[in-house]
Every structure is written in structure tokens, then in C-alpha cells.
Amino acid sequence: MAKTQDELKEMVAHKALEFIPEHGILGVGSGSTVVKFIKAIHEQGIKIDGAVSSSNATTELLREIGVPVLDPNCCEPYEVYIDGADEVNDNFEMIKGGGACLTREKILASMAKTFVCIVDQSKLVNTLGAFPLPVEVIPMAREQVARTLRALGGDPVLRKGCITDNGCEILDVHGLAISNPKELETKINGIPGVVTVGLFAHRGADVVLFATDDGVKQKQVSRLHRYADLSLMG
Ligand code: 5RP
């Protein structure tokens, strides 16, 4: 029988427990799949030395289950970051930010040696962009950023009632079929007033765990591919 999305999220959240390093810092993302992951840590009695967290909501949950949450400024780059996504393509590039935590998520992903992305199968896509692309903006720049996004072919819509943990706003950009995610990430990040775009292409995932009706499957980026990509970035 086909599983519900909630059941699939539960399955992948449990599978992710296998990727928690025995010692050291764990990076923890945000969203409903991550909430299930944090609950599973608690249920299984897994001991975490300390975590860096991508949102106030995640911080609160981690503290509730007794995990010390550290300031990333006081941490060295660490081993594993675990987070969900809104879309993932075959190159392990993602759209994130459905939960408005994209900036902190990108910071923590940039500090991690391995990014483990946990999704249900509905998040796997050929081309990114059916999910509206979140862009976090400084409020006074919202309209000018929106004009520029329209010039790039998108249709930005202000996310109503949403103020991020950084005190900023989110424009959700509809109507983009993203043929070159890295190029678009660079372009949008360069618009004055943009804090972060929710395209995770330059730093994509290293491992994608995706839950299907037949169980959780795993795709892993080849190191060669990642190094080749980094060398292109100069
Ligand atoms: C939050 C995110 C989440 O990872 C993304 O929205 C997926 O969420 P969920 O696990 O609830 O489907 O990027 O900013």
C-alpha cells in the first residue's frame, strides 16, 4: 500500500540516525522532516555531544531533549549536517527555504564536511523551480529586489506574515524553470538587499536519503564530481 508523505518522512528521519557521528558536533536543519529526526534521536536515546542549529525552532527542540546547542562562531568546521529540502535534482542541487530558515541552513551547510539531505520521494525532480524559490531579503530592499527578480523571468510573491529569525522577509519566486542552478544562485545572491537565495547549488548535498514505498534509498555524490565542481569555482 502507498505510504503517506508523513510516513515517508518518518522513515527517512529514522534512517538519518545512522549518519550521526559518534563524537563531535552535529549540524541540524529545520522543517517537519527534521522535527521527526530530532524526536527519533530522543526516542532512541542517542547521545549528541553538541549541535549547531539552523533555526530558533530547531534550537528549542534540541534543548528540550537535552542536546547542547552551540554558537557556530565558536565551532570549527564539523563532520555532518542533516537537513530536509523542498526539491532535489540529480546533481544533488536543492531548493530550500520552505520553512524560511535558508540563510542559517546555508551557513551550517557551508561548515559541514558532509551534507546529508533527507527527503521523501516527492521532492526528487528533474528541473528545479516548480517549488517557488525562496529569497530572503532585507525589508527596505524588497521592492527593488522584486523588480530585479521579475527581470530574471520570475514572479516574486511576498510571503505574508513571515519574518525570518534574522528579522528579514521572504519573496517566493514562482515561474522559474532553473536550467543552470549555480549561475542563478550567483546572480540572485549578487542583488543588493538579498540576504540569501534558497538555491543550494554551489554547496549541494553529498548524500541524498529519499524515502519510497519500498524503503529508504540512498544516492551519494562522487568525490571526484564535487572536487571538479569546487575547482571550477576557483
Ligand atoms: C526549511 C527547509 C526545509 O528543509 C524544507 O522546507 C523541507 O521541509 P519539510 O521537511 O517540512 O518538508 O528548507 O527552511
Side-chain angles (χ1 to χ4, degrees):
M1 206 173 72
K3 295 199 161 47
T4 64
Q5 190 179 38
D6 204 58
E7 287 169 332
L8 293 170
K9 286 183 179 189
E10 195 78 42
M11 282 161 56
V12 77
H14 276 84
K15 181 73 182 171
L17 298 175
E18 294 171 18
F19 289 78
I20 297 175
E22 219 167 295
H23 298 290
I25 304 293
L26 176 69
V28 186
S30 297
S32 59
T33 316
V34 166
V35 168
K36 292 180 188 304
F37 170 65
I38 296 171
K39 286 189 175 148
I41 291 175
H42 184 51
E43 281 159 16
Q44 301 295 319
I46 295 169
K47 165 99 181 61
I48 312 269
D49 291 343
V52 282
S53 158
S54 65
S55 65
N56 294 344
T58 291
T59 298
E60 202 175 308
L61 274 181
L62 287 169
R63 291 203 166 127
E64 266 173 29
I65 66 161
V67 176
V69 178
L70 310 171
D71 178 351
N73 286 310
C74 305
C75 301
E76 295 298 316
Y78 61 93
E79 289 300 325
V80 178
Y81 178 63
I82 296 182
D83 197 359
D86 299 300
E87 286 185 346
V88 189
N89 71 12
D90 285 344
N91 294 326
F92 299 75
E93 297 163 325
M94 295 161 284
I95 286 185
K96 292 184 43 53
C101 313
L102 56 162
T103 300
R104 296 186 187 196
E105 291 172 341
K106 206 177 265 198
I107 294 165
L108 296 190
S110 78
M111 292 174 68
K113 289 193 192 141
T114 303
F115 183 153
V116 179
C117 175
I118 53 173
V119 290
D120 64 84
Q121 60 193 356
S122 71
K123 308 285 186 77
L124 303 182
V125 300
N126 291 324
T127 306
L128 299 172
F131 187 92
L133 178 65
V135 180
E136 184 167 2
V137 294
I138 300 215
M140 68 158 285
R142 178 185 63 236
E143 291 309 315
Q144 179 56 16
V145 171
R147 277 180 212 109
T148 313
L149 291 169
R150 272 183 222 110
L152 291 174
D155 177 17
V157 176
L158 177 66
R159 197 180 295 181
K160 293 232 167 62
C162 175
I163 298 294
T164 69
D165 288 348
N166 310 310
C168 295
E169 294 176 330
I170 299 277
L171 292 170
D172 289 308
V173 189
H174 296 249
L176 293 171
I178 304 171
S179 55
N180 189 334
K182 290 189 182 71
E183 190 180 87
L184 190 64
E185 182 178 7
T186 303
K187 242 186 218 167
I188 296 181
N189 272 338
I191 303 170
V194 167
V195 180
T196 316
V197 60
L199 262 176
F200 285 56
H202 287 296
R203 203 293 178 242
D206 300 294
V207 177
V208 177
L209 298 179
F210 59 103
T212 73
D213 290 333
D214 302 325
V216 177
K217 305 199 169 149
Q218 177 174 335
K219 301 203 279 186
Q220 194 146 333
V221 80
S222 99
R223 286 283 159 198
L224 217 58
H225 176 272
R226 177 71 74 221
Y227 291 145
D229 184 45
L230 286 175
S231 69
L232 282 176
M233 283 172 70

